[in-house]
Amino acid sequence: MESNNGKIPSIGFGTSTGIVNPEELERAIDTAIAVGYRHIDTAFIYGTEKVIGQTLQKWFKSGKLKREEIFITTKLPVMGTHQDRVDSFIQRSLSNLQLDYVDLYLVHFPVGAKSGSNNLPLRDEQGHLFLEPKTDHAAIWKKMEAQLDAGRARSIGLSNYNISQIQTVLKSARSAPSCLQVELHAYLQQRELVHFCHQNGITVVAFSPLGAPDHNKRMKGYFAQYEERPLPDILGNAVIGRIGEKHGKSAAQVALRFLVQLGVVPIPKSMNPGRIKENFDVFDFELDGEDMERMAELEMGERARVSDFLNIFKGVEHHPDYPFGKL
Ligand code: A2P
């Protein structure tokens, strides 16, 4: 998979794990690297950068992994969605990760949130974030490009942006975004967005490629008032199960392989050694034309979106920079 400044490995290890014990996360990253993942996705806001940094240092010191052999992505948090805050947030991420550069730096979300203490966004009593009134996408992008010039990022991109917002960035860009990271899975296939990105040379990275079955638990761990919601049951889908049986593969492997064959880069999360391995083991089979058609028919559109941020930012759907469509 091409990104502007090198290649992004075609599967990544997601670390938006919610609140987990650092030793458990370190063990999961160790397993991921040992079974062959060479792409780790994190974000300032996930709180996983420090553990990733420590784990990588251990691997580098052992001589079993070189910095240039692993692709690390992190993201500008919502309280940094402002041109004056890009420099300081990427420097904090690099320090957490104990790295001189990241392979990919993304603007995490097109709407900004006010900053509270402890590097976290400010929240009201119900746990909602406070919105910044407007985002200057061109000005932020200029500061993202400055990170390429400063050598802090090898490539830069966007996350959770829609087509029109990407077009705004493209119009003013000196270096076009190399990547867009969005929620994407069998029930929310984002065909128009993927087509637009591929036509513009933008690699699409899929977060929650298994439909984020742990989403409610994870969000409740961040703030107890989180309102639970029904989640897409991709792993229990009978069509996916039957395709899996045909190939001797699990539903998760079919769901991931489908994305790989669409030219999209999935970043599944797992804390379980067997499943970490299983999710990487998708390069020894191929879905045929009929399988791909059955998978395409599973599309449900917006109603399958898990991460719409509505439960996180109060009133975000009325914000001029809210990226997602209506149901
Ligand atoms: P676990 O950590 O217990 O493996 P997504 O990447 O779509 O956000 O989904 C992550 C969730 O899916 C985690 O709760 C993870 O749980 C679970 N998961 C990851 N891989 C698999 C798999 N191969 N089979 C079943 N569940 C999985």
Side-chain angles (χ1 to χ4, degrees):
M1 247 356 100
E2 280 297 319
S3 90
N4 275 2
N5 237 318
K7 287 199 170 189
I8 181 165
S10 43
I11 280 204
F13 184 64
T15 67
S16 169
T17 49
I19 297 168
V20 285
N21 155 339
E23 287 80 37
E24 201 190 338
L25 179 58
E26 178 169 344
R27 273 199 300 277
I29 300 165
D30 279 341
T31 304
I33 296 174
V35 303
Y37 290 77
R38 288 295 177 268
H39 168 188
I40 297 178
D41 181 85
T42 184
F44 184 89
I45 207 91
Y46 300 162
T48 50
E49 288 178 331
K50 280 192 181 162
V51 177
I52 294 170
Q54 288 157 18
T55 312
L56 287 175
Q57 280 306 313
K58 188 179 67 188
W59 279 83
F60 296 155
K61 283 186 187 138
S62 76
K64 291 187 197 144
L65 183 74
K66 296 195 187 77
R67 170 66 187 94
E68 57 275 20
E69 289 170 342
I70 189 148
F71 191 101
I72 306 293
T73 303
T74 196
K75 313 185 189 85
L76 177 70
V78 283
M79 58 285 187
T81 311
H82 189 282
Q83 52 279 21
D84 294 345
R85 302 186 208 139
V86 181
D87 280 338
S88 69
F89 272 110
I90 191 170
Q91 289 183 42
R92 280 144 88 176
S93 285
L94 289 173
S95 153
N96 287 341
L97 288 162
Q98 302 186 48
L99 297 175
D100 301 328
Y101 68 89
V102 284
D103 297 276
L104 177 61
Y105 195 56
L106 304 176
V107 182
H108 205 150
F109 192 64
V111 180
K114 294 201 189 302
S115 238
S117 55
N118 305 328
N119 294 331
L120 292 170
L122 189 64
R123 293 188 188 279
D124 69 11
E125 281 167 10
Q126 281 78 45
H128 294 119
L129 271 53
F130 292 90
L131 303 170
E132 293 284 6
K134 184 89 194 84
T135 314
D136 185 342
H137 297 294
I140 291 176
W141 192 250
K142 226 172 165 189
K143 281 298 168 82
M144 293 292 286
E145 291 171 328
Q147 308 314 316
L148 294 174
D149 301 337
R152 296 184 193 118
R154 293 277 162 98
S155 60
I156 50 175
L158 304 166
S159 183
N160 296 302
Y161 275 57
N162 63 27
I163 291 179
S164 131
Q165 291 169 327
I166 301 168
Q167 280 168 328
T168 302
V169 171
L170 284 172
K171 266 187 225 137
S172 72
R174 177 164 57 85
S175 286
S178 65
C179 166
L180 174 74
Q181 184 178 129
V182 286
E183 176 180 345
L184 200 158
H185 44 71
Y187 290 174
L188 178 67
Q189 298 178 19
Q190 310 247 41
R191 278 185 217 136
E192 196 190 344
L193 184 59
V194 171
H195 180 71
F196 172 83
C197 285
H198 287 174
Q199 279 202 317
N200 284 280
I202 300 172
T203 300
V204 178
V205 171
F207 75 76
S208 301
L210 304 173
D214 62 332
H215 184 80
N216 288 328
K217 194 170 130 236
R218 204 153 38 90
M219 297 314 285
K220 274 195 161 306
Y222 284 128
F223 56 109
Q225 306 90 332
Y226 184 81
E227 289 164 40
E228 292 201 17
R229 54 173 51 199
L231 299 170
D233 181 19
I234 290 177
L235 298 175
N237 181 284
V239 173
I240 302 182
R242 275 197 296 278
I243 297 175
E245 275 167 32
K246 178 169 134 187
H247 294 279
K249 290 283 177 181
S250 69
Q253 288 170 321
V254 171
L256 296 170
R257 179 72 204 184
F258 173 57
L259 301 183
V260 170
Q261 287 186 216
L262 294 177
V264 165
V265 176
I267 48 168
K269 295 188 284 289
S270 178
M271 300 296 285
N272 172 286
R275 292 193 282 274
I276 293 170
K277 190 169 185 317
E278 176 186 330
N279 294 345
F280 193 71
D281 188 15
V282 297
F283 299 103
D284 61 349
F285 77 113
E286 195 165 349
L287 300 178
D288 60 32
E290 171 148 6
D291 301 332
M292 290 300 280
E293 273 174 39
R294 296 289 86 77
M295 292 297 291
E297 287 163 6
L298 299 177
E299 169 67 22
M300 290 168 67
E302 280 299 310
R303 86 201 140 91
R305 189 187 291 281
V306 174
S307 293
D308 58 14
F309 297 83
L310 298 181
N311 283 348
I312 302 172
F313 292 92
K314 196 174 197 170
V316 71
E317 68 275 30
H318 306 301
H319 192 282
D321 297 293
Y322 184 65
F324 308 131
K326 299 278 171 278
L327 290 181

